Each structure stands twice: as C-alpha cells, then as structure tokens.
Amino acid sequence: MSTPDLHRLPVAPRTEEYVTVAELQAAIAQMLPDFPEIPTLDATTPQPTLRIRIEHSRTIKDGWGYSTTVEMDGIDAGDRQRIDKGLELISDTLVKARKLAEFERDIRNHRDAAAKEATAHIASNAN
C-alpha cells in the first residue's frame, strides 16, 4: 500500500489569526525601512537584506514542530537609528513568521492525523 500524498489532502479552513504567505510578504514590504541604494563600481557592497527561514521537522512522539529565524544583513553597525529600525522590523517579522509556521504546523498535523485515520479505517475493513 502506498503512502497518501499529504500535500494534496484538503486544508483546514483559514482563521483570522493566521496570515497567508502573500499577506506576510506584503506586510514585510510595507515595514521595510527606506534604505538608500549604495552606488558601487563593482557591486560588492552588500545591500540590506531580510531573510526569513521557517523549518518544519517531525517526530514520532510529538508530530510536526517548527523553528523560525529572521536575519538582517547590510546595516552599518555605527548607524544606531538604522539598527533600531532593523530590530523593530525583525521583531515584527518574527511574530508574523511564527504565526505562519504555527498555521503550517497545524495543517501538517491535521493531514497526518487524517492519513493515520484513513489507514486505520482501510486496515479494519480489510479484515
């Protein structure tokens, strides 16, 4: 018997406490401080960048879990105002990334439970 494709099972209805990826990207775009473009001859000077990493892992005992990371590069360490703006942006982004990660974790756990229930039902009907 093959394992069902968990990414094609129905998704739980969306609630207002979660955000979609598109909404998260739009919110991040609005929160980004206006960094001036740094002209360089060889384009080796790093531009300010914001990276969001959401990693999911699964354990047999606890099901799906997640970890989130938000990083920002390219801010001059001597510019206190930009550092403060960057820290505020990272903090706000991390809250939104965690909500998105929790939403995805819940979907994955729901799909696993549905697949386990379906497998048990098929096995009981086979006997």
Side-chain angles (χ1 to χ4, degrees), residues 32-54:
L32 285 173
D34 293 327
F35 292 112
E37 189 171 322
I38 302 170
T40 60
L41 295 176
D42 55 2
T44 58
T45 304
Q47 297 295 314
T49 57
L50 181 69
R51 281 187 298 281
I52 302 168
R53 184 177 303 115
I54 301 174

Side-chain angles (χ1 to χ4, degrees), residues 1-121:
M1 180 167 71
S2 65
T3 305
D5 184 359
L6 299 179
H7 297 287
R8 295 179 189 253
L9 292 175
V11 175
R14 181 172 168 247
T15 61
E16 290 304 313
E17 67 181 280
Y18 297 110
V19 295
T20 65
V21 173
E23 290 169 338
L24 180 61
Q25 289 172 338
I28 290 169
Q30 290 177 349
M31 291 186 299
L32 285 173
D34 293 327
F35 292 112
E37 189 171 322
I38 302 170
T40 60
L41 295 176
D42 55 2
T44 58
T45 304
Q47 297 295 314
T49 57
L50 181 69
R51 281 187 298 281
I52 302 168
R53 184 177 303 115
I54 301 174
E55 181 180 349
H56 287 81
S57 60
R58 185 178 180 283
T59 63
I60 293 174
K61 182 178 178 184
D62 298 325
W64 286 97
Y66 68 91
S67 66
T68 57
T69 306
V70 177
E71 302 170 346
M72 182 175 269
D73 286 334
I75 296 178
D76 182 10
D79 189 345
R80 190 69 200 159
Q81 185 177 5
R82 284 206 182 180
I83 291 172
D84 290 342
K85 279 185 176 181
L87 290 174
E88 183 179 327
L89 175 62
I90 288 171
S91 176
D92 292 345
T93 304
L94 185 56
V95 168
K96 291 177 181 174
R98 286 185 63 119
K99 284 183 180 179
L100 184 62
E102 289 170 1
F103 180 63
E104 188 171 337
R105 176 205 58 202
D106 293 345
I107 288 174
R108 288 173 183 234
N109 283 326
H110 176 72
R111 288 175 177 169
D112 281 0
K116 186 176 182 179
E117 184 179 315
T119 303
H121 180 69

